[in-house]
Structure formats: structure tokens, C-alpha cells
Amino acid sequence: MFQSEYLKRVYSGVEARNPGEKEFLQAVREVLESLEPVVAANPKLEENGIIERIVEPERQIFFRVSWVDDNGRVQVNRGFRVQFNSAIGPYKGGLRLHPSVNASVIKFLGFEQIFKNSLTGLPIGGGKGGSDFDPKGKSDGEVMRFCQSFMTELSKHIGADTDVPAGDIGTGAREIGFMYGQYKRLRNEFTGVLTGKGLTYGGSLARTEATGYGVCYYTEEMLKCMKNDSFKGKTVVISGSGNVAIYATEKATELGGKVVALSDSNGYIYDPNGIKLDVVKQIKEVERGRIKEYVNRVDGAEYHEGCSGIWTIKCDIALPCATQNEIDEASAKALISNGVIAVAEGANMPSTPEAIEAFQSAGVLFGPAKAANAGGVATSALEMSQNSMRYSWTFEEVDAKLKDIMINIFHNSYDAAKKYGMEGNLLAGANIAGFEKVADAMLAQGVAY
Ligand code: NDP
């Protein structure tokens, strides 16, 4: 628990004000724990109420989304947009469409986004949104009607200089396209109000690949600097089989690793010969099918029901790229006893606090989400820049900028941890480095009356 009376008091306030929001409380607690030495060294933070301000969203918008299904029946979902912090730039963060979405999930994601966006070094604030709508099993027409209804309300609260949403779980190119079309119709303006757009209407090359590639660039740098090692010759397990997992698989393979497992929310595949990514892309990106279909198309591959078994596969590097809290203490211990040397989080908060503790005390290199998966939002910010300039960079230009950003994030986190006597603790380092810039901007901008 907290040493600092100030942090203890702020955290109790967060608990009292957000009862039962377990994901949000988990995320806040993790960040505040890392900030102990920063708060102790900087009395101005308490004097100016920086911590109690940073844990409270600037604005939260919850709204009804009604739409008509293919049978002519009216359906109602709940929409969310949490505009958490705009100290260093317009709110920026994805839209998650998944039945598990609620205020706690969106607030944990929005809170994390503040520090992640700051770490990229680009001028973007933190926000997040989404709905409990499930695109799975819906027709294109149903998804379109939902997205149009969702944007009809959301359009009142966003804008290219105010708040720029993007994709996340369940929100891919199709959903962004429908939402963008609706925004343009309503506002009669062609601006970079969403990122992850298609290439024919303002999207950035390499945005699709960015989060997965970025996780691997970060991991490669972490391996190089902390273990004088690399992906070459390593066995890699990746969870999920969505946008992040697919492009992490592509880059890890390109860097010389062998990815042997992927999953979805029903189960996982194990292919000891190395995942054939063209087969996965066909199933997931073209057919929108289930991952178990892979074993019907590739000899020697196995399918297992259930998700957590994936962490019992022996590997050197684990990249969780599905969802929050997918690695618990037991899964972490299974990975450790099988000799894992590095874990980097592609998903947001995929490791429970007990799992992180287990990795760190076993000396496993641990790259936290807000650093390791920041490549997606960084490239979204590059998309915003290109939209403002009415210009497009080549794939190679964007990819090179992404790589530089990921390498800088690793070093800034490493250095921040070292500065406060926690060398090698990349979790604390990412929280501190992300926080310092935002806190500085908040101090400079004063308290609003
Ligand atoms: P996708 O929707 O493309 O893929 C999500 C994958 O995770 C799917 O394979 C899905 O399986 C699986 N999954 C989702 N929910 C669960 C669950 N409750 N249990 C087990 N598996 C689950 O999303 P993304 O790849 O975009 O996002 C994955 C993670 O990465 C999320 O945590 C997201 O917040 C994070 N992230 C994404 C970024 C991006 O640029 N896209 C940027 C930074 C972070 P199924 O199909 O069965 O649902």
C-alpha cells in the first residue's frame, strides 16, 4: 500500500467516488504506486492538487445508442466517451466495441492513455470511448446503422482540435469508415477527426501495422539493452488474433522469432512449425472467422478450447495482445517455469498486478502496455499531422518514425526509473516518464475556477 499520506488520501477518494470499478481502480493504483518517489521529491504536486486532478476525468459522456436490426427491431446500446486529460493536446484514444464495455473499462483505458500518449513525445491528451455493442455476428448493415447512430451523438463532443478517437477492440477499418462518413455528413467538413481511416480518405500508411510492429520494436530494444539479446531464434507466444496480434506476429517473425501460438476468446492454436500468417489473415481479416479454423488448413497444428492454456506453452518471449487481465499469477508462474525471458504487453493491462510482481521478482524483462503498445496511438498522431498538412508520408517514412518513437519510449522509461532508484523497472519508469510531462503542463496551466 502507499507510503505517502497524500497518495493514500487521493486513492481512498478514488475508491469512494468510483465504487465497484475494479479495472479503473487497478489502473489508478498501479500508476500511483509508481509515483511515490516523484511525489516525495516534488511537494508542488500536492500543493497544486495534481494527483487528485489527474485521477478525475475532465469530462465523461454516456449516451443512448438506438439502432434498427435486420429484423426491423429496435436495439439499444450504451455509448461512452471519457475525455480524461487535455493538458498536452486534444483528447486521443480508441473506441472499444465489445459486450464487456462499461464505465470502469473505459475509464481504466482513458486513464492509461494519458501516460501512454505523453510517452510518445507527441502532443496528444488522453481519452477513450466505446459501447457495449458486439459487432460479432452482425451484418454489415447492422454495424453501419449502429456506427451512424453512435456518431450522431459522439459528433457533438469531438473534433480535429478537440478529441480524435480511433479504433480498438471491435473497431477496425469498417467501423471507422462508417463513423467517419456519418461525421462528415453531419458536420459538412473533411477533417482528421478519427484516425485509422482507410487509405483513400486520409488514413496513414502503416497505421494498421503500427501497434503490433511497435510492440516488437520496443521488445527488440529492451532485449538488446538489458540482455544483449534479440528476437533471433526465439520461440514466441502471442495471444489474440486481431489487429495487434497479427502485426506483432508479422514483425516478430521478420526479426527472426518463431511465433507458435495465437488465440481468440474461445481458444488457442499451437503450431510447432511456426504460425502461417497468410492463413491467419485470410481467416481473421477476410472471412472474419474463428481461429480454430486454422487447424483445418495447416497440418500439424492443434486447437485447444479456453484461453489461459496458451501461457503453458514453452516460449522465450510472450506478447499478450488480446485483452485486460488475461495473464494471472498462475499463468505468469507457468511462463516463468518454462523459462520465459521477456514479456511485453500489446494489449492494455493484460497482466494482473500479481502476474507483474511474479515477472519482476523472477527477473523476467517486463514491458508494460503504456510503453510497449504506444506505437498505435503514436502513428495515429502521425496520421493527424498528415491530415493537417493535407499530405501523405510513405510507408517507410511512417515506419521509421514509429521505430524511433518506440526506441525513445524504451530509453525514456529506463532513464526515469533509474533517476528514481528503480533501474530496470520499466513499469515504474513508463508511469513516471509519462506523468512528468503531463504534470508539468498542468502546473503551467493553473487551476480552473
Ligand atoms: P481486435 O478486436 O482486432 O482483436 C482482439 C483480439 O483479442 C481478438 O482475437 C479477440 O478474440 C481477443 N479478445 C477480445 N476480448 C477477449 C476476451 N475477453 N478474452 C479473450 N480474448 C479476447 O482488437 P485489437 O487487436 O485492436 O486490440 C487488442 C488489445 O490491444 C486491446 O487490449 C486493445 O485495447 C489493445 N490496443 C490496441 C491498439 C490498436 O491500435 N488496435 C493500440 C493499443 C492497444 P475474439 O475475436 O474472439 O473476440
Side-chain angles (χ1 to χ4, degrees):
M1 216 20 195
F2 301 105
Q3 315 272 303
S4 142
E5 284 305 319
Y6 173 44
L7 289 175
K8 212 177 280 176
R9 198 170 65 243
V10 172
Y11 186 74
S12 303
V14 177
E15 278 184 316
R17 203 180 283 151
N18 305 278
E21 296 194 355
K22 62 181 187 345
E23 294 87 357
F24 178 51
L25 294 172
Q26 181 182 336
V28 170
R29 188 176 175 146
E30 180 214 284
V31 171
L32 298 198
E33 280 175 356
S34 304
L35 295 181
E36 291 269 13
V38 185
V39 165
N42 301 285
K44 270 189 170 174
L45 297 172
E46 181 171 356
E47 286 158 25
N48 289 276
I50 291 293
I51 307 291
E52 48 272 61
R53 283 196 274 152
I54 214 165
V55 296
E56 181 67 17
E58 289 175 13
R59 191 175 299 106
Q60 307 186 58
I61 304 140
F62 298 171
F63 51 99
R64 183 178 68 201
V65 187
S66 6
W67 54 281
V68 178
D69 70 17
D70 286 347
N71 299 317
R73 251 183 249 121
V74 176
Q75 302 286 344
V76 176
N77 287 102
R78 179 169 291 176
F80 299 84
R81 187 71 186 166
V82 175
Q83 298 179 329
F84 227 113
N85 193 297
S86 61
I88 63 166
Y91 309 105
K92 179 97 200 81
L95 297 170
R96 178 172 291 191
L97 300 182
H98 193 273
S100 63
V101 163
N102 56 34
S104 171
V105 168
I106 297 299
K107 280 159 69 180
F108 114 65
L109 290 163
F111 182 69
E112 291 278 291
Q113 200 82 44
I114 304 171
F115 309 99
K116 180 188 311 195
N117 292 4
S118 165
L119 277 173
T120 66
L122 300 167
I124 38 178
K128 197 82 188 187
S131 171
D132 56 2
F133 172 79
D134 187 0
K136 248 184 262 146
K138 305 286 192 305
S139 69
D140 285 351
E142 289 176 323
V143 170
M144 183 179 76
R145 291 191 292 279
F146 167 81
C147 289
Q148 291 177 338
S149 177
F150 181 79
M151 183 51 83
T152 300
E153 177 60 29
L154 188 68
S155 66
K156 298 170 191 163
H157 311 285
I158 62 176
D161 294 316
T162 309
D163 182 358
V164 183
D168 190 71
I169 290 180
T171 306
R174 173 181 62 171
E175 291 74 18
I176 291 288
F178 292 147
M179 290 181 195
Y180 190 73
Q182 184 70 353
Y183 184 86
K184 192 165 59 62
R185 262 172 227 118
L186 291 165
R187 302 292 280 260
N188 194 27
E189 58 182 40
F190 200 106
T191 53
V193 68
L194 290 171
T195 56
K197 299 185 290 298
L199 296 177
T200 51
Y201 62 96
S204 173
L205 286 159
R207 173 61 187 92
T208 307
E209 293 82 356
T211 309
Y213 278 21
V215 173
C216 293
Y217 292 145
Y218 177 94
T219 307
E220 186 80 345
E221 189 68 9
M222 172 171 81
L223 286 165
K224 183 175 116 191
C225 298
M226 295 176 76
K227 270 212 161 16
N228 195 21
D229 210 335
S230 73
F231 266 100
K232 207 158 271 158
K234 302 293 185 302
T235 300
V236 185
V237 164
I238 298 181
S239 63
S241 50
N243 172 260
V244 181
I246 287 176
Y247 292 95
T249 303
E250 187 164 288
K251 187 52 76 178
T253 310
E254 213 179 289
L255 292 170
K258 181 160 88 167
V259 180
V260 296
L262 287 175
S263 63
D264 61 20
S265 53
N266 297 111
Y268 68 94
I269 52 166
Y270 172 59
D271 185 346
N273 300 314
I275 295 286
K276 315 263 172 311
L277 197 58
D278 51 338
V279 177
V280 175
K281 283 186 179 175
Q282 174 66 26
I283 296 168
K284 300 304 290 189
E285 293 185 336
V286 180
E287 300 167 19
R288 294 181 186 275
R290 308 302 299 159
I291 198 68
K292 72 173 173 201
E293 178 55 27
Y294 183 90
V295 298
N296 298 329
R297 303 186 193 182
V298 178
D299 288 340
E302 300 164 14
Y303 175 73
H304 300 267
E305 281 291 331
C307 300
S308 61
I310 195 170
W311 307 119
T312 63
I313 298 171
K314 186 171 169 49
C315 65
D316 305 303
I317 299 170
L319 305 177
C321 295
T323 195
Q324 63 268 13
N325 292 328
E326 54 171 312
I327 302 186
D328 60 10
E329 188 177 11
S331 297
K333 288 194 164 151
L335 283 163
I336 293 164
S337 62
N338 280 328
V340 74
I341 58 166
V343 176
E345 299 184 320
N348 283 311
M349 206 167 77
S351 315
T352 64
E354 298 75 25
I356 297 173
E357 169 62 32
F359 290 136
Q360 290 182 328
S361 30
V364 174
L365 301 186
F366 178 74
K370 61 174 73 68
N373 75 22
V377 73
T379 308
S380 278
L382 300 177
E383 181 174 332
M384 290 164 69
S385 303
Q386 292 170 83
N387 292 162
S388 302
M389 292 189 289
R390 305 264 188 256
Y391 187 74
S392 296
W393 290 317
T394 63
F395 187 97
E396 289 70 27
E397 283 173 302
V398 179
D399 190 39
K401 290 182 203 302
L402 166 66
K403 193 170 177 182
D404 273 357
I405 290 169
M406 298 313 298
I407 289 173
N408 281 336
I409 289 176
F410 168 79
H411 288 284
N412 290 341
S413 308
Y414 188 91
D415 294 347
K418 192 171 170 187
K419 177 174 153 195
Y420 286 98
M422 293 181 281
E423 185 164 358
N425 185 341
L426 298 173
L427 174 69
N431 286 336
I432 294 169
F435 169 80
E436 285 191 324
K437 181 175 165 192
V438 177
D440 196 55
M442 288 173 75
L443 283 168
Q445 290 169 25
V447 184
Y449 289 93

